[in-house]
């Protein structure tokens, strides 16, 4: 992955998070999103359901639409609002950069049990020592970039980091593939592994 390409997508990812955070910064907008999660609504529908003047409702919806959180659909003279796919930018950077599908925690657990993969934790060393997937090797992405701590090539490598929106694993997989490895990433990282009740090891 070229450095300028990496920076472009990373900036787009974090900028989208910032826009979404700003867009949902008021209770009324959160209430509107909750209502739109149930069904499409018109401005007048939302104004009535949230006890908000139509002018104010329209302003809230403009802000949500500008952030990509909601989108519209026309039906004759009526305009309906609905929730948008707010993970578009995330998928473009993360899932969209994987030639192979990311690995789920369940699949990784099975493949580890059968000895099919080498698992690497690409977070900083101190985070690895605070908690990691049992059997995973500590290979911080910065060391990997400098050509240090390279895992063996005999098996497929699965990299993980801080969660679904952490870019360390994406960087690691791109580097490893460039160097001839078969590499994939764990889709939800350590938080997803832990949240499903799996064991987490502590220490070196």
């Amino acid at each position: 992955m070229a450095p300028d390409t990496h920076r472009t997508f990373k900036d787009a990812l974090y900028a989208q998070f910032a826009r979404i955070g700003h867009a949902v910064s008021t209770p009324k907008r959160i209430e509107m999103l909750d209502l739109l999660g149930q069904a499409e609504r018109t401005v007048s529908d939302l104004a009535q359901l949230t006890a908000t003047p139509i002018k104010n409702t329209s302003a809230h919806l403009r802000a949500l639409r500008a952030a990509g959180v909601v989108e519209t659909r026309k039906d004759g003279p009526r305009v309906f609002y609905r929730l948008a796919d707010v993970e578009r930018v995330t998928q473009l950077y993360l899932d969209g950069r994987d030639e192979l599908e990311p690995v789920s925690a369940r699949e990784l657990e099975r493949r580890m049990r059968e000895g099919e993969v080498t698992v690497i934790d690409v977070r900083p060393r101190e985070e690895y020592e605070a908690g990691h997937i049992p059997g995973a090797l500590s290979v911080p992405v910065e060391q990997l970039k400098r050509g240090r701590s390279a895992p063996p090539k005999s098996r497929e490598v699965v990299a993980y980091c801080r969660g679904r929106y952490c870019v360390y694993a994406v960087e690691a997989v791109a580097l490893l593939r460039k160097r001839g490895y078969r590499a994939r990433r764990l889709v939800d990282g350590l938080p997803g592994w832990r949240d499903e009740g799996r064991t987490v090891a502590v220490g070196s």
Side-chain angles (χ1 to χ4, degrees), residues 9-83:
F9 280 103
K10 194 170 182 179
D11 287 346
L13 175 63
Y14 294 144
Q16 178 67 2
F17 288 164
R19 285 193 293 270
I20 292 171
H22 177 72
V24 298
S25 60
T26 70
K28 282 295 182 185
R29 291 178 190 172
I30 294 173
E31 184 180 1
M32 289 176 188
L33 289 176
D34 180 51
L35 290 166
L36 291 173
Q38 301 166 27
E40 292 182 327
R41 315 274 185 179
T42 64
V43 174
S44 58
D45 290 336
L46 289 168
Q48 182 177 4
L49 290 167
T50 61
T52 304
I54 287 182
K55 182 178 180 180
N56 293 354
T57 301
S58 294
H60 285 311
L61 289 170
R62 281 197 300 272
L64 292 171
R65 188 179 181 188
V69 181
V70 301
E71 56 190 19
T72 58
R73 177 183 66 84
K74 284 191 174 183
D75 184 3
R78 305 178 75 193
V79 177
F80 288 86
Y81 285 83
R82 61 189 176 196
L83 292 183

Side-chain angles (χ1 to χ4, degrees), residues 11-162:
D11 287 346
L13 175 63
Y14 294 144
Q16 178 67 2
F17 288 164
R19 285 193 293 270
I20 292 171
H22 177 72
V24 298
S25 60
T26 70
K28 282 295 182 185
R29 291 178 190 172
I30 294 173
E31 184 180 1
M32 289 176 188
L33 289 176
D34 180 51
L35 290 166
L36 291 173
Q38 301 166 27
E40 292 182 327
R41 315 274 185 179
T42 64
V43 174
S44 58
D45 290 336
L46 289 168
Q48 182 177 4
L49 290 167
T50 61
T52 304
I54 287 182
K55 182 178 180 180
N56 293 354
T57 301
S58 294
H60 285 311
L61 289 170
R62 281 197 300 272
L64 292 171
R65 188 179 181 188
V69 181
V70 301
E71 56 190 19
T72 58
R73 177 183 66 84
K74 284 191 174 183
D75 184 3
R78 305 178 75 193
V79 177
F80 288 86
Y81 285 83
R82 61 189 176 196
L83 292 183
D85 180 6
V86 297
E87 291 197 341
R88 255 191 326 268
V89 174
T90 301
Q91 290 173 351
L92 178 63
Y93 182 72
L94 301 177
D95 298 340
R97 304 204 69 77
D98 280 344
E99 295 171 6
L100 299 174
E101 287 295 320
V103 181
S104 68
R106 178 178 296 178
E107 180 186 355
L108 179 59
E109 186 175 46
R110 177 189 63 77
R111 297 191 66 193
M112 290 178 69
R113 192 165 53 242
E114 296 175 2
E116 296 178 351
V117 294
T118 297
V119 182
I120 62 172
D121 184 319
V122 296
R123 300 172 302 158
R125 179 75 184 187
E126 59 271 19
E127 294 183 32
Y128 171 86
E129 293 181 353
H132 58 269
I133 294 174
L137 305 176
S138 177
V139 185
V141 70
E142 291 304 320
Q143 290 186 22
L144 197 61
K145 289 177 182 178
R146 293 194 291 268
R148 302 176 185 173
S149 305
K153 284 188 174 181
S154 56
R155 293 184 292 186
E156 183 176 66
V157 176
V158 174
Y160 73 87
C161 55
R162 295 167 177 162

Side-chain angles (χ1 to χ4, degrees), residues 178-195:
K178 187 176 181 181
R179 295 171 186 171
Y181 285 84
R182 293 174 296 123
R184 298 164 71 185
R185 66 184 176 85
L186 177 62
V187 64
D188 288 320
L190 184 67
W193 177 275
R194 181 190 286 118
D195 290 347

